[in-house]
Amino acid sequence: MINKVKKIVKGEKKIDGAGVQLIRVIGKPDVYDFDPFLMLDAFDSKNPDTYIKGFPWHPHRGIETVTYLLEGEIDHGDSLGNSGVIRDGECQWMTAGSGIIHQEMPQPAPRLLGTQLWVNLPARDKMTAPKYRDFKSSDMPVIEDEGSIVRIVAGEFKGAKGPMEDITVQPTYLDVTVKSGGSFYYDTNPENTLFIYIINGSLIFPAEDNKVLPAWQAVLFERGDKLHLKTGNDGKARLLLFSGKPLNEPIEWGGPIVMNTKEELNQAFKDIEEDTFIKEHLADGTIRNEQVNKSFYR
Ligand code: FE
């Protein structure tokens, strides 16, 4: 069955962090429709004043944050002592799990272009050990045919696998360029949530009278097993495709923390207040409060 458009979400301009202008493409109002995806923020700016204040030290728990940067540079550091720079074409996949305190600071560049996706963690993994994975663009396989060029950020496409291997929710994340006058075909999993976000160009949708799909908005599809997108003859288009199996669990969302129950959310904020937010994971599976050198991140 061919996938049809279920819903188009316009997103909204927002200022977040210490003053970063962004487009919140999906977020709280649509969260159950996009399950297991919680949020998609998009950045596109040629003016460093709109992003330079960045996202200073803040906590996360219960989710994964996926930063995919097409252009620009983001410095990051965290309470575990990790630090580094995300550059053009690179992806940082962070499992916040039981808790991490980090900062994400875009640096001045000719253009900042990229996205941050939040993927929910199932109840059984909300309190897992935090983990970072950094992928270079050369880590991501590229599959080209006559109609499109597909870079695999996560998941599989035509037998090739993305670099991510141990993600709890096993999403597919593709960066797709559809050539001028070309087509992109994707065998979708009927059990999965599927949506795209068009970064540039325009796409038309043959399954519904060649309707034009809007750029800079999230296009959520009905369940199906075949997606076909094409460009007109007026140029190529670039889109991000996201697909993942819904968790079907209750969602309690408080800022950078997403849990299943109010009690868990309250506990997280209590932990922040009492400086017991960062946990240590022992080899036998027990979790205890970690002694964190707070001077490091405050
Ligand atoms: Fe963050």
Side-chain angles (χ1 to χ4, degrees), residues 60-74:
H60 286 292
R61 177 179 285 176
I63 60 171
E64 301 193 293
T65 68
V66 183
T67 306
Y68 182 45
L69 199 59
L70 303 174
E71 290 180 45
E73 222 175 79
I74 299 177

Side-chain angles (χ1 to χ4, degrees), residues 12 29 32 34-35 41 49 56 74 113 143 148 152 156 163-164 184 204 209 212 222 233 240 258 262 272:
E12 52 179 339
Y32 285 100
F34 285 83
D35 182 13
D41 279 350
D49 291 341
I74 299 177
L113 177 65
I143 309 290
S148 62
I152 308 171
E156 274 189 54
M164 229 73 68
F184 167 66
I204 51 182
D209 290 333
V212 177
E222 303 273 8
N233 290 315
L240 302 176
V258 185
K262 279 223 159 59
I272 292 171

Side-chain angles (χ1 to χ4, degrees), residues 48-92:
D49 291 341
T50 65
Y51 58 75
I52 199 76
K53 288 178 186 153
F55 301 89
W57 298 108
H58 59 278
H60 286 292
R61 177 179 285 176
I63 60 171
E64 301 193 293
T65 68
V66 183
T67 306
Y68 182 45
L69 199 59
L70 303 174
E71 290 180 45
E73 222 175 79
I74 299 177
D75 273 5
H76 69 91
D78 71 39
S79 51
L80 305 178
N82 300 306
S83 67
V85 185
I86 311 169
R87 294 196 166 85
D88 289 12
E90 296 181 353
C91 175
Q92 180 197 70

Side-chain angles (χ1 to χ4, degrees), residues 23-42:
I23 298 177
R24 178 133 310 147
V25 184
I26 64 167
K28 261 187 194 170
D30 302 289
V31 74
Y32 285 100
D33 283 336
F34 285 83
D35 182 13
F37 304 106
L38 295 164
M39 196 182 86
L40 180 69
D41 279 350

Side-chain angles (χ1 to χ4, degrees), residues 36 60-65 94-100 119-131 133 166-171 247 249 258-260 264 279 281 285 287:
H60 286 292
R61 177 179 285 176
I63 60 171
E64 301 193 293
T65 68
M94 182 191 82
T95 304
S98 61
I100 198 145
V119 185
N120 205 0
L121 284 170
R124 65 170 190 279
D125 291 317
K126 288 275 186 202
M127 294 300 283
T128 192
K131 197 169 177 181
R133 306 159 198 80
D166 55 347
I167 321 168
T168 303
V169 174
Q170 295 187 326
L247 298 177
E249 291 179 1
V258 185
M259 306 301 286
N260 296 104
E264 291 164 347
K279 307 295 183 188
H281 293 257
I287 300 178

